[in-house]
Amino acid sequence: MENLKNKVWFVTGASKGLGLTLVKRLLNDGYQVAATSRSKQSLIEAISNTTENFLPLEVELTNEKSIKDVVVETLKHFNTIDILVNNAGYGQIGTVEELRDEEVRNNYDVNVFGLLNVTRQVLPHLRAKQSGHIFNISSIGGFVGGFAAWGIYCSTKFAVAGLTEALAVEVKPFGVNVTLVYPGYFRTNFLSKDSVLAPRNPIDEYLEARQSQIAHQNEIDGNQPGDPNKAIDVLIQMSKEQNPPLHLFLGQDAYDISKNKLEEVSKELEHWKSYTLSTGF
């Protein structure tokens, strides 16, 4: 039987959403958890656990020194890291035209470069011990980008998907597993006002984008079909698999949307095949 206390999880973005649900479940199941957030106090209040199994950490994901410090602190406290969950991120609503450079770069800084920074600091330890598992939390929006007002957010998650596929190949020789997670809509606070940002300068002509924004903030929020506890069940089970999947879709909506895209791409690939193959010497 697996000795749970020997498994150490390092989870970013742990004060809310799927990260919070995951950390609570892990601690309840007997795992050791290092959890990060921008505010250590909010993390302590959200988790309400004072055992030695729980190490709350305050970190600035866009600052590599800050990340290095908490990784060192984790290794000092638990002696190891077995499973890394890059969960931190936030939603940015806005069309490609209306979002300012600062809004776009901020979303990339957290969703992409924050994930990269954490991964780079944890990988030397996993590589040295020749084992481990990295979960990179993307989104169904990292596989399908056709959502009005979500182009920039989706592009950050597409970036996560691309770098994760490469990462999986790079670290496989060291016995490190990598899983790219594409969640659909889960009933967390992801769509709440403090988790998703609206454009500072909306352009009224983008009617579909405004309708999408209103729907997400007023109708979809609180009515998402996915159960976060069941998503966590899957993640924990995947951490126990000897050969876990690289691509993991979570939710009926994620399954349906991704399957539709695969069918559309396949259809277009075949329809325009003669042009595709006409470009060789």
Side-chain angles (χ1 to χ4, degrees), residues 152-163:
I152 296 304
Y153 171 76
C154 286
S155 72
T156 68
K157 293 303 186 176
F158 266 78
V160 168
L163 69 89

Side-chain angles (χ1 to χ4, degrees), residues 39-279:
S39 167
K40 183 176 180 178
Q41 188 56 40
S42 68
L43 194 56
I44 293 172
E45 292 173 0
I47 304 297
S48 300
N49 188 304
T50 57
T51 68
E52 283 295 305
N53 279 3
F54 174 49
L55 179 63
L57 299 162
E58 185 166 313
V59 70
E60 177 53 59
L61 290 177
T62 58
N63 184 321
E64 276 206 274
K65 183 181 184 306
S66 175
I67 296 168
K68 183 177 181 178
D69 289 343
V70 296
V71 170
V72 169
E73 187 175 346
T74 300
L75 293 174
K76 183 178 179 181
H77 186 85
F78 290 127
N79 297 317
T80 190
I81 295 173
D82 296 293
I83 301 163
L84 166 61
V85 182
N86 279 309
N87 170 72
Y90 71 92
Q92 174 66 66
I93 300 175
T95 67
V96 171
E97 179 185 355
E98 65 194 359
L99 286 180
R100 291 180 175 180
D101 183 74
E102 181 185 6
E103 293 171 290
V104 174
R105 289 180 185 276
N106 286 344
N107 206 206
Y108 267 82
D109 279 344
V110 174
N111 292 6
V112 181
F113 290 103
L115 178 147
L116 267 174
N117 290 339
V118 175
T119 303
R120 279 196 291 251
Q121 292 301 323
V122 173
L123 263 179
H125 174 72
L126 300 183
R127 180 163 48 82
K129 75 192 192 86
Q130 298 281 294
S131 68
H133 196 157
I134 299 172
F135 288 93
N136 283 345
I137 310 299
S138 179
S139 162
I140 187 56
F143 189 76
V144 179
F147 305 104
W150 291 93
I152 296 304
Y153 171 76
C154 286
S155 72
T156 68
K157 293 303 186 176
F158 266 78
V160 168
L163 69 89
T164 302
E165 289 185 352
L167 176 67
V169 176
E170 292 166 354
V171 301
K172 187 176 181 180
F174 308 117
V176 178
N177 292 318
V178 177
T179 297
L180 174 60
V181 185
Y182 299 100
Y185 286 107
F186 280 85
R187 201 167 300 178
T188 68
N189 56 4
F190 174 76
L191 293 175
S192 63
K193 290 183 179 180
D194 63 339
S195 295
V196 65
L197 300 183
R200 298 175 189 170
N201 297 296
I203 299 173
D204 292 338
E205 286 85 345
Y206 284 106
L207 298 179
E208 188 177 351
R210 295 289 76 76
Q211 291 170 355
S212 174
Q213 179 180 339
I214 292 170
H216 278 84
Q217 293 179 320
N218 299 332
E219 299 167 21
I220 298 175
D221 186 25
N223 295 301
Q224 298 96 321
D227 182 343
N229 286 297
K230 292 180 179 178
I232 297 313
D233 288 341
V234 175
L235 288 183
I236 293 176
Q237 181 57 45
M238 290 303 103
S239 74
K240 300 175 183 178
E241 294 288 335
Q242 188 172 359
N243 296 298
L246 170 56
H247 300 278
L248 178 63
F249 294 86
L250 294 179
Q252 180 72 51
D253 52 352
Y255 178 87
D256 293 339
I257 292 170
S258 59
K259 191 172 182 181
N260 286 339
K261 176 173 180 175
L262 289 171
E263 291 173 353
E264 289 175 8
V265 171
S266 179
K267 184 177 179 181
E268 286 193 333
L269 186 66
E270 292 306 314
H271 183 77
W272 300 102
K273 182 179 178 180
S274 61
Y275 288 92
T276 301
L277 302 184
S278 70
T279 57

